[in-house]
Amino acid sequence: MTSFTEENYLKIIYLLTERHNGNEVSTNQLAEHTQTKAASVSDMLRKLAEKNYINYRKYQGVTLTDAGEQIALGVIRKHRLWEVFLVEKLGFGWDEIHDIAEQLEHIDSKELTKSLDDFLGNPKFDPHGDPIPDSKGKMPSVSYQKLSDIPLNQSVVMMGVSVHSPSFLQHLDKNQITLGCTLKIREISEFDKSYSILLDEKNTIFVSNEVARNLLVQMQES
Amino acid sequence: MTSFTEENYLKIIYLLTERHNGNEVSTNQLAEHTQTKAASVSDMLRKLAEKNYINYRKYQGVTLTDAGEQIALGVIRKHRLWEVFLVEKLGFGWDEIHDIAEQLEHIDSKELTKSLDDFLGNPKFDPHGDPIPDSKGKMPSVSYQKLSDIPLNQSVVMMGVSVHSPSFLQHLDKNQITLGCTLKIREISEFDKSYSILLDEKNTIFVSNEVARNLLVQMQES
DNA sequence: ACAAAATTTTAGACTAATCTAAAAAAATAT
DNA sequence: ATATTTTTTTAGATTAGTCTAAAATTTTGT
């Protein structure tokens, strides 16, 4: 059996490892993301290592074993499916769903996950553009680029975000930046590196460098 | 804050009190329904009494206070709404939903409960015929009778069940007894008190006395 | 290369929820 | 009406997950 808490640790280790391109996750990072103290994390890592869910060398950080990764992917799959449900069926905004999905992701029922997936039409991406692991526990690979790495005047499609905070998402809403919209960088300010962007070939909008770095985009039709 | 465990105790106390027409619930009964030992229940009762969720006199059993009842009704409301979701939207059978709803009932989000309720069309009954408490925490009163208390040849409508075990529900499925069907008792066997029943004015079926005692029915059109 | 700083682990303690065993109270049966 | 049985509570332990404080290890800065 895997407890609620263990599932959370495994999920966070997966997501942080992914963010670090496969590099080990540190104790302090985990403490930050689990909202606990480093000492508590150390204890939990010992326990997860005993269960063979993580590769753990003291002081050297951790990565997931295959067993741990399967559990993490199952939780992430549920999280993202529920997020689709909340937005597509219940009408929530993409900025309102994270905390609810954090709870729903731990509901334990193979049949429920299967039925929910079918009910939603077997979606491949969640409302933030993140890929949904398949039922076999495989994470689809995606290759998005930061908008800030795209050259001037190259048309790209908005595919995802690398920050999920409500305030960031609400900021995008205000600027009418949604998944699937077209973006073309017109100019980068010499002064503050902020961006002037043509949105959907129609309106020009201005976004900070920080926004541009957290928008994930793709060249037309891939 | 009310923990998952406390919510469960309060819910069970509510349901058992209801079953006993408002009489106190005993420690042993709670132990049975919480799958724990009497000693553990005693501890929890002390704690719930301290929080003013129950009226507790040692050795005398417990009832809920208004505060405790509100929490219990909130949990029961969520449980029954999720059951409707599982059957109406995901296609589960009424015999498959209890364990999943036991988990979903503890998801804590006012907005989610509200949206789910609307999504489902504000249902008043769950798939077993049990009434769904309203958003103000009021349980609708229903007046059903046991089929076994109905006179011969009186047409009644099937409204609910007083046992929720999968095996009982599957037994009803096999006999095509569903919520809303019409039942008319034709004969009660001298020998084993089993029932011969006219179903939907068409087929005659035979059910045991035990089944008849656990079917809740109502006179036509009330 | 080594001292200082930062990070991580260990030690010992706490809380929530559970348990077993024993004591206390209530119910029952002759 | 009192002895026996049943039920309930208390006492003392256990486990999971957390904490603070102190010790151990690694990293950083000169």
Side-chain angles (χ1 to χ4, degrees):
Chain A
M1 245 310 44
T2 323
S3 72
F4 187 104
T5 310
E6 290 171 336
E7 286 190 353
N8 263 328
Y9 272 89
L10 295 174
K11 175 191 66 173
I12 292 169
I13 293 169
Y14 182 95
L15 294 172
L16 290 176
T17 308
E18 187 182 51
R19 186 184 296 181
H20 299 157
N21 304 306
N23 287 321
E24 289 82 5
V25 180
S26 74
T27 301
N28 263 357
Q29 274 184 303
L30 285 171
E32 196 180 310
H33 285 82
T34 53
Q35 319 256 59
T36 63
K37 296 302 164 73
S40 312
V41 172
S42 273
D43 262 8
M44 183 55 80
L45 293 182
R46 195 182 31 65
K47 188 173 146 195
L48 292 172
E50 232 160 60
K51 291 194 173 190
N52 285 309
Y53 292 154
I54 60 174
N55 306 115
Y56 177 40
R57 299 195 329 283
K58 281 182 194 175
Y59 296 99
Q60 308 301 292
V62 298
T63 56
L64 294 176
T65 60
D66 286 351
E69 184 168 290
Q70 283 312 297
I71 294 170
L73 285 168
V75 174
I76 292 167
R77 173 170 165 75
K78 287 184 283 179
H79 183 103
R80 293 180 180 173
L81 285 173
W82 282 114
E83 288 197 333
V84 173
F85 171 73
L86 293 171
V87 168
E88 296 298 318
K89 301 295 183 180
L90 297 194
F92 281 90
W94 65 349
D95 57 317
E96 304 174 310
I97 57 184
H98 189 264
D99 292 350
I100 304 176
E102 287 286 295
Q103 298 181 63
L104 289 164
E105 73 190 4
H106 301 289
I107 301 293
D108 179 29
S109 165
K110 280 262 186 333
E111 301 76 36
L112 173 58
T113 306
K114 171 83 173 67
S115 300
L116 180 65
D117 186 33
D118 290 343
F119 179 60
L120 299 172
N122 313 111
K124 300 288 172 269
F125 300 91
D126 79 11
H128 307 110
D130 294 313
I132 300 176
D134 71 21
S135 59
K136 310 269 188 282
K138 184 152 175 50
M139 178 70 92
S141 70
V142 295
S143 55
Y144 300 149
Q145 292 172 275
K146 300 178 191 172
L147 179 62
S148 53
D149 290 343
I150 300 292
L152 280 185
N153 292 310
Q154 165 70 56
S155 256
V156 293
V157 178
M158 155 75 175
M159 300 301 287
V161 290
S162 46
V163 160
H164 296 68
S165 73
S167 66
F168 178 60
L169 297 170
Q170 286 158 16
H171 183 73
L172 297 185
D173 282 342
K174 283 221 189 76
N175 284 280
Q176 313 220 50
I177 299 172
T178 58
L179 287 191
C181 73
T182 300
L183 304 171
K184 193 186 287 182
I185 302 172
R186 283 312 196 185
E187 197 183 349
I188 305 180
S189 157
E190 194 73 28
F191 171 62
D192 62 1
K193 311 290 184 237
S194 70
Y195 285 66
S196 170
I197 292 172
L198 183 64
L199 176 66
D200 284 327
E201 315 288 355
K202 289 198 297 277
N203 315 308
T204 299
I205 59 174
F206 299 89
V207 303
S208 67
N209 186 275
E210 163 129 34
V211 167
R213 277 184 285 114
N214 288 308
L215 288 177
L216 301 176
V217 301
Q218 204 168 50
M219 306 285 172
Q220 295 284 43
E221 305 306 87
S222 156
Chain B
M1 246 307 48
T2 324
S3 73
F4 187 104
T5 310
E6 291 170 336
E7 285 190 352
N8 264 328
Y9 272 89
L10 296 174
K11 175 191 64 174
I12 293 168
I13 293 168
Y14 181 95
L15 294 172
L16 290 177
T17 307
E18 187 181 52
R19 185 184 298 181
H20 298 157
N21 303 306
N23 287 321
E24 288 81 6
V25 180
S26 76
T27 301
N28 263 357
Q29 274 184 303
L30 285 171
E32 197 180 309
H33 285 83
T34 53
Q35 319 256 58
T36 63
K37 298 301 165 71
S40 311
V41 173
S42 272
D43 263 7
M44 182 56 81
L45 293 183
R46 195 183 29 66
K47 188 171 145 194
L48 291 173
E50 231 161 59
K51 292 194 173 188
N52 286 310
Y53 292 153
I54 60 174
N55 305 116
Y56 177 41
R57 297 195 333 283
K58 282 183 195 176
Y59 297 98
Q60 308 301 291
V62 298
T63 56
L64 294 177
T65 61
D66 287 351
E69 184 168 289
Q70 283 312 298
I71 293 171
L73 286 168
V75 174
I76 291 167
R77 172 170 165 77
K78 286 184 283 180
H79 183 102
R80 293 180 179 173
L81 285 174
W82 281 113
E83 288 196 334
V84 173
F85 171 72
L86 293 170
V87 168
E88 296 298 318
K89 301 295 182 180
L90 298 194
F92 281 90
W94 65 348
D95 57 317
E96 305 174 310
I97 56 183
H98 189 264
D99 292 351
I100 304 177
E102 287 285 296
Q103 298 182 62
L104 288 163
E105 72 191 5
H106 300 290
I107 301 293
D108 177 32
S109 164
K110 280 263 186 335
E111 301 76 35
L112 173 59
T113 306
K114 170 83 172 66
S115 299
L116 180 65
D117 186 33
D118 290 342
F119 179 59
L120 299 172
N122 313 110
K124 299 287 173 271
F125 300 92
D126 79 11
H128 307 111
D130 294 314
I132 300 176
D134 72 19
S135 59
K136 310 268 188 283
K138 183 150 177 51
M139 178 70 91
S141 70
V142 295
S143 55
Y144 302 148
Q145 292 172 274
K146 300 177 190 173
L147 179 62
S148 52
D149 290 343
I150 301 290
L152 281 184
N153 293 311
Q154 166 71 54
S155 257
V156 294
V157 179
M158 155 73 174
M159 299 302 286
V161 290
S162 47
V163 160
H164 295 68
S165 73
S167 67
F168 178 60
L169 297 171
Q170 286 157 17
H171 183 73
L172 297 185
D173 283 340
K174 282 219 190 76
N175 285 280
Q176 315 219 50
I177 299 173
T178 57
L179 287 192
C181 73
T182 300
L183 305 170
K184 194 185 288 182
I185 302 171
R186 284 309 195 188
E187 197 183 348
I188 303 181
S189 158
E190 195 74 28
F191 170 64
D192 63 0
K193 311 289 185 239
S194 70
Y195 284 66
S196 170
I197 291 172
L198 183 65
L199 176 65
D200 284 328
E201 314 287 356
K202 289 198 299 276
N203 316 307
T204 300
I205 60 174
F206 299 88
V207 303
S208 67
N209 186 275
E210 163 129 32
V211 167
R213 278 183 284 114
N214 288 307
L215 288 177
L216 301 177
V217 302
Q218 203 169 51
M219 306 284 172
Q220 295 284 43
E221 303 307 86
S222 158

